[in-house]
């Protein structure tokens, strides 16, 4: 019986891979222009990292982690997100001793045991950016600008930016009290999970996806009415910087984001279908994971959802041709020459193919056409004797005669 890929995972066959190369290329280029460098961390971590770093009241920790004991009986978890591992690596590699800020990015697979649906997989991919060391509002705006610029470079127009401020450990308890007073009256109608959140982290209830909970939280008090002066002026500054860059946004007091660690600024970039990018400031996380007290801000951007949005908007993703030159051959001696010539051309970067299927010349040319070869040529006794090749440009049928030994000239012509 045929074995299928596990539910919620997707192969990336060659006819899709070019889209990923293109998108990742744009993201890497934009990162570079913002002085953001790549960091790579392991695919799995000690479970403890996510318990502490993501938070015990989050969906991720409560329902979604791929956790198992390895043969040494350690509890291991496949990365459900990139922030906690990046913070761990920042601390472990003592990057906090270097000149700050530290600007990092990653492109990683993430693993979450989710209910599989459109835009919701069990292995998905994220482009993430984390900036450590600066508490200034300009860095919040810079990180948001980097996300927006990446989407703009890819040609996306339908995405909107929502921002909010979640306060800090000084002002949030007051809000939590107000929220609890409000929710108390409707406690019985909350879903089971939200009942457990009520004591530990009532704000998480605002992010619940259950309809019954949404009904209750619709008219809940909003955090912006409770934030302290420091958080309020930080938020004003972030908005001023965004205005200075002419980045449009909406303040949405309803967004709280799925993770426990956020403080002050949070943001989401979304379309009608889903959130593509989410992030914000998390000034307490580095300390929580055992590092020094140090502010931080970042985001995660889902690549499957990004590519789905590109396709929905009809944005064409550039696809490089597969083959520059197809060399057909008549007879054994010609095949060996074609074989050698192909390798010489490949060595200088020309995408070259020859016949490995015992096809007739006619079938070869049909095949060359099918794979979209830009040029074709046929090597036979005549060509070998005269040491000349006729290269046919497939787009218009024009022929070019070149010396068989002049590799550079062939390369120049077909490139
Ligand atoms: P959601 O509210 O949709 O569950 P989230 O708050 O769990 O999202 P984050 O943890 O902030 O998402 O991850 C950042 C981004 O990663 C999301 O905006 C989304 O684009 C992507 N993402 C998250 N979970 C999945 C998933 N299961 N499948 C595909 N993409 C995902
Ligand atoms: Mg989620």
């Amino acid at each position: 019986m045929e074995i299928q890929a596990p539910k919620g995972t997707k192969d990336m066959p060659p006819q899709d891979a070019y889209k990923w190369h293109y998108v990742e290329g744009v993201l890497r280029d934009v990162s570079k222009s913002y002085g953001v460098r790549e960091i790579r961390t392991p695919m799995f971590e000690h479970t403890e990292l996510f318990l502490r770093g993501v938070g015990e009241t989050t969906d991720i920790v409560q329902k979604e982690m791929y956790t198992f004991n390895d043969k040494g009986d350690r509890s291991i978890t496949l990365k459900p997100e990139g922030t906690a591992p990046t913070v761990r690596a920042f601390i472990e590699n003592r990057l906090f001793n270097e000149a700050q800020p530290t600007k990092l990015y990653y492109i990683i697979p993430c693993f979450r045991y989710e209910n599989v649906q459109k835009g919701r997989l069990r292995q998905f991919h994220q482009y993430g950016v984390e900036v450590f060391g600066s508490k200034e509002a300009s860095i919040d705006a810079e990180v948001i600008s980097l996300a927006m610029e990446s989407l703009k470079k890819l040609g996306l127009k339908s995405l909107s930016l929502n921002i909010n401020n979640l306060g800090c450990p000084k002002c949030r308890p007051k809000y939590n009290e107000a929220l609890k007073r409000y929710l108390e009256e409707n406690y019985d109608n909350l879903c089971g999970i939200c009942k457990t959140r009520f004591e530990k982290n009532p704000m998480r209830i605002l992010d619940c996806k259950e309809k019954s909970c949404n009904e209750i939280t619709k008219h809940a008090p909003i955090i912006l009415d409770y934030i302290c002066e420091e958080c309020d002026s930080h938020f004003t500054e972030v908005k001023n910087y965004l205005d200075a860059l002419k980045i449009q946004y909406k303040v949405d007091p309803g967004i709280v984001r799925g993770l426990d660690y956020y403080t002050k600024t949070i943001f989401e970039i979304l379309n009608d279908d889903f959130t593509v990018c989410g992030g914000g400031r998390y000034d307490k996380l580095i300390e929580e994971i055992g590092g020094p007290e140090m502010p931080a801000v970042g985001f995660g951007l889902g690549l499957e959802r990004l590519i789905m949005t590109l396709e929905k908007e009809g944005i064409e993703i550039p696809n490089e041709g597969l083959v520059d030159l197809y060399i057909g051959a008549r007879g054994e001696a010609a095949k060996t020459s074609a074989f050698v010539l192909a390798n010489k051309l490949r060595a200088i970067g020309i995408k070259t193919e020859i016949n490995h299927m015992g096809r007739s010349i006619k079938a070869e040319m049909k095949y060359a056409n099918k794979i979209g070869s830009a040029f074709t040529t046929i090597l036979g006794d005549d060509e070998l004797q005269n040491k000349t090749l006729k290269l046919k440009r497939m787009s218009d049928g024009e022929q070019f005669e070149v010396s068989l030994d002049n590799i550079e000239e062939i390369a120049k012509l077909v490139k």
Side-chain angles (χ1 to χ4, degrees):
M1 212 177 60
E2 200 179 316
I3 296 174
Q4 292 181 334
K7 186 173 172 187
T9 68
K10 269 201 177 133
D11 295 317
M12 222 178 268
Q15 56 268 35
D16 288 338
Y18 78 92
K19 300 176 194 167
W20 289 78
H21 294 162
Y22 171 70
V23 167
E24 289 172 6
V26 170
L27 297 173
R28 288 181 194 281
D29 285 348
V30 177
S31 303
K32 249 186 246 164
S33 63
Y34 279 77
V36 180
R37 293 176 304 160
E38 186 180 16
I39 184 162
R40 297 191 187 191
T41 61
M43 207 73 82
F44 55 84
E45 295 274 356
H46 291 295
T47 303
E48 168 71 17
L49 175 67
F50 301 111
L51 299 185
R52 254 205 270 168
V54 177
E56 304 203 22
T57 57
T58 58
D59 278 354
I60 293 181
V61 169
Q62 287 185 332
K63 304 188 279 197
E64 299 172 355
M65 293 205 301
Y66 276 91
T67 298
F68 60 94
N69 280 10
D70 71 5
K71 288 188 174 20
D73 218 23
R74 300 169 195 90
S75 181
I76 295 293
T77 295
L78 302 184
K79 253 191 324 220
E81 56 99 53
T83 302
T86 304
V87 170
R88 187 215 26 83
F90 173 75
I91 299 167
E92 198 166 332
N93 292 281
R94 300 292 180 264
L95 298 182
F96 52 77
N97 284 331
E98 306 198 347
Q100 300 303 326
T102 303
K103 299 173 164 188
L104 304 170
Y105 83 88
Y106 47 81
I107 294 175
I108 55 166
C110 295
F111 305 88
R112 298 186 192 175
Y113 195 79
E114 299 243 34
N115 286 323
V116 177
Q117 45 185 282
K118 188 176 163 201
R120 205 169 280 289
L121 294 161
R122 291 185 176 168
Q123 176 177 339
F124 64 97
H125 298 79
Q126 263 189 12
Y127 161 64
V129 169
E130 318 290 348
V131 176
F132 303 134
S134 171
K135 59 180 173 29
E136 293 193 10
S138 54
I139 203 82
D140 301 51
E142 186 170 297
V143 163
I144 294 173
S145 156
L146 162 50
M148 295 300 279
E149 181 64 27
S150 306
L151 299 169
K152 199 167 118 192
K153 277 255 154 66
L154 290 165
L156 289 170
K157 297 201 180 72
S158 68
L159 293 164
S160 44
L161 167 67
N162 287 351
I163 61 171
N164 191 19
N165 190 302
L166 286 188
C168 67
K170 268 187 279 171
C171 50
R172 210 185 298 173
K174 267 190 237 134
Y175 173 66
N176 275 338
E177 277 316 307
L179 183 61
K180 270 165 85 173
R181 269 198 306 278
Y182 170 85
L183 291 172
E184 218 159 27
E185 293 161 30
N186 298 291
Y187 182 84
D188 292 339
N189 296 327
L190 292 174
C191 74
I193 288 183
C194 281
K195 282 190 175 118
T196 68
R197 290 167 171 158
F198 182 81
E199 279 307 326
K200 283 198 206 144
N201 193 348
M203 271 174 79
R204 185 81 311 109
I205 298 173
L206 300 176
D207 204 36
C208 182
K209 293 187 175 76
E210 292 291 328
K211 259 213 175 79
S212 52
C213 295
N214 290 169
E215 278 306 308
I216 297 167
T217 54
K218 239 180 5 203
H219 305 290
I222 63 169
I223 178 101
L224 290 177
D225 294 334
Y226 292 81
I227 57 176
C228 63
E229 212 176 306
E230 188 199 318
C231 288
D232 191 39
S233 63
H234 196 270
F235 196 42
T236 304
E237 274 187 68
V238 172
K239 289 186 285 187
N240 289 342
Y241 279 115
L242 291 176
D243 292 339
L245 294 178
K246 299 197 165 47
I247 293 175
Q248 293 192 351
Y249 57 84
K250 200 179 94 195
V251 175
D252 177 356
I255 55 171
V256 294
R257 309 274 319 116
L259 309 169
D260 273 356
Y261 47 59
Y262 288 114
T263 51
K264 293 196 170 77
T265 314
I266 54 164
F267 67 96
E268 287 185 345
I269 303 172
L270 63 165
N271 58 21
D272 295 341
D273 299 327
F274 37 55
T275 305
V276 173
C277 175
R281 180 169 277 287
Y282 48 96
D283 289 345
K284 300 291 156 197
L285 185 63
I286 298 178
E287 224 182 327
E288 181 69 34
I289 293 180
E293 192 182 337
M294 232 174 167
V297 52
F299 65 78
L301 193 155
L303 296 185
E304 280 82 2
R305 292 188 193 179
L306 174 62
I307 289 172
M308 279 167 82
T309 311
L310 286 169
E311 288 176 342
K312 194 177 160 194
E313 283 193 30
I315 293 167
E316 200 164 324
I317 301 175
N319 189 7
E320 214 187 306
L322 269 183
V323 185
D324 298 320
L325 176 64
Y326 184 93
I327 309 171
R330 268 193 200 98
E332 266 312 303
K335 174 157 180 186
T336 306
S337 293
F339 189 66
V340 172
L341 177 59
N343 253 30
K344 284 184 184 159
L345 286 166
R346 288 167 180 163
I348 55 171
I350 305 301
K351 290 170 280 181
T352 315
E353 272 303 335
I354 60 163
N355 182 7
H356 289 296
M357 300 299 291
R359 291 186 179 97
S360 68
I361 288 285
K362 198 173 153 214
E364 275 196 90
M365 289 305 119
K366 216 169 139 188
Y367 172 75
N369 204 18
K370 196 168 166 193
I371 60 175
S373 187
F375 284 78
T376 57
T377 190
I378 296 169
L379 256 178
D381 291 344
D382 285 354
E383 285 77 12
L384 289 178
Q385 229 157 42
N386 308 335
K387 295 214 165 278
T388 56
L389 268 184
K390 278 204 190 80
L391 302 181
K392 182 176 169 189
R393 186 160 64 200
M394 299 301 275
S395 57
D396 56 6
E398 195 173 337
Q399 304 233 21
F400 303 84
E401 204 168 274
V402 288
S403 156
L404 180 55
D405 296 327
N406 197 340
I407 301 292
E408 291 297 335
E409 197 190 344
I410 300 174
K412 220 166 94 193
L413 201 71
V414 303
K415 200 58 189 167

